[in-house]
Amino acid sequence: MPVTNIDKNAEKSVTETSFLSARKMPSEPWMWFFILGDMSIFAIFFGAYLWKLGANRDVFIGEAASLVLSLGLFNTLVLLTSSYTVARAVHAYRQGDDALTRTMLGWSLLAAAIFIGTKVVEYSMELADGHGLTTSAFFMYYFVLTGLHLLHVFIGSIFLFNWRLSLSGKTLECDLHSHSRAEGIAGYWHMVDLLWLLIFAFIYIGSSS
Amino acid sequence: MNPSVRRINIVYFCLVAITILSVGLTTDMAHSLFSARTVAGMAAILAFIKARYVMLEFMELRGTLMQRVFDCWLLIACLASMLLAFR
């Protein structure tokens, strides 16, 4: 059967409809490219770490044995939970449920505080054992990667705190009310979670003995 | 319960389950079965699976145009990690 112009137009229309029916992207494209850029910086560190791990596997495995796996696991579960509560906060925010949004963000902030507190305890234990930034290649990567990540947790917590504060009407930054801004903050926090999942896998599990 | 909230709940429990499962790679049994390279590679694969879940469901990029960009990033990073882990 010959293909008519009507068929071609119908096919084109379906293709265009499929393209346009792609789900609406949360936040703005620039925010996602910023997040990708940030993740790429970490990826360079991950690559360098794995390169060194391959070259000095026995040494790295020996030094990683002094890390407290249970604290790493605990922090991973804490950060996963905070990511979950932020995702719930976004849903509640879209539905206009400010009370639930505040509650969920409160849990997220509590989880962030627990994460930071646990990390400080872990750093104190390592320093007490004589492991510092300049002790060895392994501990240099450990402190730089986890320290850089901790900085992101701190920055993300400030964003979350500002978002929560804006719900209470205690700030003049009215643009924080916009959904796009809230989705951007949530996206940043999920990136922090995603990066920790990789750090935990590379440093705590991948280098275990 | 809202279907999207139910979905987030399921994803959260899956992520917790995979995390606890991955800790099994640090046990003596895992080290007697696999080499250190294999353990590092398996840990990386599980981490990238979790990362993709976070990207699709928590970041809500499933079905959006940005999903392809993030999928490419995760695939390249995962393959590079595999190459380096098994080096």
Side-chain angles (χ1 to χ4, degrees):
Chain A
M1 184 186 288
V3 178
T4 64
N5 279 342
I6 295 172
D7 291 335
K8 282 181 183 172
N9 286 339
E11 192 179 329
K12 189 181 169 189
S13 173
V14 167
T15 311
E16 283 175 357
T17 307
S18 305
F19 177 77
L20 291 172
S21 67
R23 272 182 58 185
K24 185 191 167 294
M25 192 190 313
S27 192
E28 302 295 331
W30 68 263
M31 182 66 196
W32 296 110
F33 283 112
F34 168 76
I35 285 172
L36 270 176
D38 212 352
M39 283 166 57
S40 299
I41 293 169
F42 271 89
I44 293 168
F45 279 108
F46 293 148
Y49 174 79
L50 289 172
W51 181 267
K52 284 282 183 187
L53 171 68
N56 309 287
R57 198 172 295 272
D58 291 339
V59 177
F60 269 47
I61 286 174
E63 290 184 320
S66 63
L67 297 181
V68 186
L69 180 69
S70 55
L71 289 181
L73 174 64
F74 176 71
N75 258 351
T76 307
L77 297 177
V78 164
L79 218 48
L80 273 176
T81 305
S82 76
S83 216
Y84 165 77
T85 50
V86 166
R88 289 289 308 272
V90 171
H91 276 266
Y93 188 62
R94 284 192 190 124
Q95 289 171 348
D97 191 343
D98 277 7
L100 184 59
T101 310
R102 261 198 300 276
T103 305
M104 287 297 163
L105 288 175
W107 284 115
S108 306
L109 286 165
L110 178 66
I114 292 171
F115 182 92
I116 292 169
T118 308
K119 207 75 212 137
V120 168
V121 169
E122 205 180 335
Y123 281 162
S124 307
M125 289 167 73
E126 292 305 331
L127 292 171
D129 286 346
H131 301 131
L133 192 65
T134 54
T135 310
S136 64
F138 172 79
F139 278 104
M140 189 269 286
Y141 280 107
Y142 167 76
F143 280 109
V144 168
L145 268 171
T146 57
L148 200 58
H149 179 267
L150 195 61
L151 180 69
H152 282 69
V153 172
F154 189 70
I155 293 168
S157 302
I158 293 171
F159 288 150
L160 290 177
F161 184 72
N162 264 327
W163 179 14
R164 192 175 189 276
L165 210 59
S166 73
L167 294 167
S168 313
K170 290 177 183 171
T171 177
L172 295 175
E173 288 186 54
C174 295
D175 60 340
L176 267 174
H177 284 288
S178 76
H179 286 207
S180 175
R181 187 85 177 264
E183 288 165 349
I185 291 170
Y188 184 88
W189 190 258
H190 297 313
M191 175 201 71
V192 170
D193 176 35
L194 188 154
L195 289 171
W196 179 257
L197 294 177
L198 297 177
I199 291 173
F200 179 64
F202 293 139
I203 293 186
Y204 290 83
I205 297 178
S207 312
S208 65
S209 55
Chain B
M1 188 188 286
N2 185 324
S4 52
V5 171
R6 191 186 307 131
R7 193 181 180 96
I8 292 175
N9 290 346
I10 293 168
V11 169
Y12 170 67
F13 286 113
C14 286
L15 289 170
V16 169
I18 297 172
T19 299
I20 292 168
L21 190 75
S22 68
V23 175
L25 290 170
T26 63
T27 58
D28 290 342
M29 195 177 84
H31 283 283
S32 64
L33 287 172
F34 309 111
S35 69
R37 282 181 174 79
T38 312
V39 167
M42 288 165 75
I45 288 173
L46 288 175
F48 278 103
I49 289 171
K50 288 191 287 181
R52 190 161 188 268
Y53 267 122
V54 170
M55 180 271 285
L56 291 175
E57 308 299 341
F58 285 176
M59 289 179 168
E60 298 181 314
L61 294 181
R62 179 188 288 280
T64 67
L65 297 176
M66 198 53 76
Q67 184 194 332
R68 287 180 192 175
V69 182
F70 272 73
D71 269 339
C72 284
W73 190 96
L74 286 174
L75 184 66
I76 292 167
C78 185
L79 289 175
S81 301
M82 288 299 102
L83 282 173
L84 291 169
F86 285 103
R87 188 168 71 94

